[in-house]
Amino acid sequence: MKKLLSLGLLLCLLATAAGCRRSGPDENAPQGGDAYTLGLGVVSAYGSVSHAEHGKNGSSELTHTLAAVLLDKNGVITDCRLDAIDIKGSYTENGVYVPPASLATKHEQGEGYGMKAYGGADKEWYEQADALASLAVGKKADTLGTLMNGDGRGSDEVISAGCTISVSDFVKSIEEATKNAKTELSGKDITLSIGLCATEIASRNATASQWGEAETETTFAATVTDADGKVIVTLTDAVATTFTFDHTGHATTNQEKAIETKRMLGQSYGMKSYGGAEKEWFEQADAFDAVCRGKRADEIAALAAEGGKGNGEVLQAGCTITVTDLVKAVIKAINNE
């Protein structure tokens, strides 16, 4: 897709600046020196859509839900982290795109998300997500379904813990994370955390002969650090999504199309087949993740050279893609933002 307008750096910095400390279930974090596996799962789903009319902008929305888990040698979840982000595109009756003011995650928004202030809930969104994450600890993948009722809400156990929001995508993302868990690690006093960075990378207004569009890339990181803040392992992924609309502000996004991350796409992503790269995207991400091991946040910040490509160490490892958002996502995870 032709990149016509780049707002990536500005909006990703806005999202980072909006960060707040996570109050995740740290009491459940592994404390021993046993072996674990790290898994990351992403579930993406389209939400509400409206067309521009009567002076009101139209909009399209989708949500990315992120889960990271640590599993012990028996496949039992020993730690879990959850977050989500709503990506929303707006456009006028004349097909002019309106960029979002912020791309902060729901956890980053903290008390500002407004479930208590405006929705009358007892707990804010991040508190409810943390409550569910705590209940996932001690369970295996095949028992996660007990956290959810048939209508997508939480079970009695979940509701009693204070999580009254829909949990279906959370449960699916945790299941996905356990299924994909393969990155092995061991250590004592280790900390699991997640980072999410959304960047609007291109947009175009609509004309009578061409749809308008807005493309956003969202980057995810699950990171395990030691007591000194050094990365033991990290696992990254990303997904690119596009909203489209016509010159009258009518939404034209294909909401039936499945949304898959770049890791999910695997070899079919096409960096080798169509781009001529030596390594596919997930292989380059693996190379980047390997370079992060043993580094602190400031050292990882130095991995992105001017222009967004990796520095010499990253390039030598076989990662030639732009790493700016990979770096930001990992740093956000390390700093528990």
Side-chain angles (χ1 to χ4, degrees):
M1 179 178 298
K2 188 177 181 182
K3 313 299 184 200
L4 300 178
L5 177 61
S6 177
L7 298 175
L9 180 60
L10 173 61
L11 289 175
C12 197
L13 287 174
L14 283 171
T16 302
C20 67
R21 296 293 295 179
R22 298 182 188 276
S23 55
D26 293 331
E27 66 272 14
N28 295 313
Q31 299 299 314
D34 293 337
Y36 305 94
T37 53
L38 170 66
L40 181 151
V42 178
V43 171
S44 303
Y46 285 104
S48 61
V49 170
S50 65
H51 306 303
E53 58 182 356
H54 308 307
K56 183 179 180 180
N57 291 346
S59 66
S60 297
E61 186 175 293
L62 67 86
T63 300
H64 300 301
T65 302
L66 171 66
V69 297
L70 282 179
L71 305 179
D72 68 13
K73 61 183 179 181
N74 297 314
V76 176
I77 297 173
T78 63
D79 204 357
C80 178
R81 292 290 186 273
L82 298 170
D83 203 352
I85 186 169
D86 291 329
I87 307 293
K88 188 173 184 179
S90 300
Y91 26 85
T92 70
E93 289 180 279
N94 299 319
V96 176
Y97 179 66
V98 181
S102 173
L103 286 170
T105 75
K106 295 183 180 182
H107 218 298
E108 288 170 347
Q109 292 178 53
E111 297 293 332
Y113 187 75
M115 288 198 71
K116 291 192 292 187
Y118 304 105
D122 290 333
K123 290 188 176 183
E124 194 46 77
W125 188 95
Y126 74 93
E127 296 173 307
Q128 298 200 34
D130 289 346
L132 181 65
S134 293
L135 292 177
V137 173
K139 291 181 170 56
K140 291 185 176 181
D142 59 0
T143 63
L144 288 170
T146 61
L147 296 174
M148 182 173 57
N149 286 327
D151 61 357
R153 296 285 173 178
S155 63
D156 290 343
E157 179 187 19
V158 172
I159 293 173
S160 295
C163 179
T164 58
I165 56 179
S166 176
V167 300
S168 56
D169 283 353
F170 280 133
V171 173
K172 290 176 185 176
S173 65
I174 299 171
E175 290 174 337
E176 187 73 17
T178 59
K179 182 177 69 175
N180 296 333
K182 60 183 179 180
T183 304
E184 298 181 354
L185 67 140
S186 61
K188 185 177 181 180
D189 298 330
I190 60 177
T191 300
L192 171 66
S193 56
I194 55 178
L196 194 159
C197 180
T199 302
E200 188 176 270
I201 55 178
S203 67
R204 177 181 66 211
N205 295 333
T207 66
S209 60
Q210 188 177 45
W211 284 351
E213 62 186 21
E215 184 177 2
T216 302
E217 178 147 311
T218 307
T219 305
F220 315 96
T223 302
V224 179
T225 51
D226 64 17
D228 296 322
K230 292 183 179 180
V231 171
I232 300 174
V233 294
T234 192
L235 182 59
T236 55
D237 201 351
V239 60
T241 51
T242 303
F243 294 121
T244 59
F245 48 94
D246 67 18
H247 69 289
T248 67
H250 187 94
T252 57
T253 303
N254 179 11
Q255 291 190 295
E256 302 300 319
K257 183 179 180 181
I259 303 173
E260 296 180 293
T261 70
K262 296 181 180 182
R263 281 194 181 275
M264 291 177 186
L265 291 168
Q267 296 290 348
S268 65
Y269 184 72
M271 288 199 70
K272 291 193 294 186
S273 300
Y274 305 104
E278 293 184 5
K279 291 185 177 182
E280 194 46 77
W281 190 93
F282 74 91
E283 296 172 310
Q284 299 203 36
D286 285 343
F288 172 82
D289 295 346
V291 171
C292 290
R293 294 178 182 176
K295 291 182 171 58
R296 295 186 176 90
D298 59 338
E299 296 171 308
I300 291 174
L303 295 180
E306 185 176 355
K309 295 289 185 178
N311 66 6
E313 182 181 8
V314 174
L315 294 174
Q316 187 174 8
C319 178
T320 60
I321 58 177
T322 299
V323 300
T324 304
D325 285 357
L326 292 174
V327 167
K328 289 178 180 178
V330 173
I331 290 175
K332 288 177 75 172
I334 294 173
N335 292 337
N336 206 26
E337 294 177 334

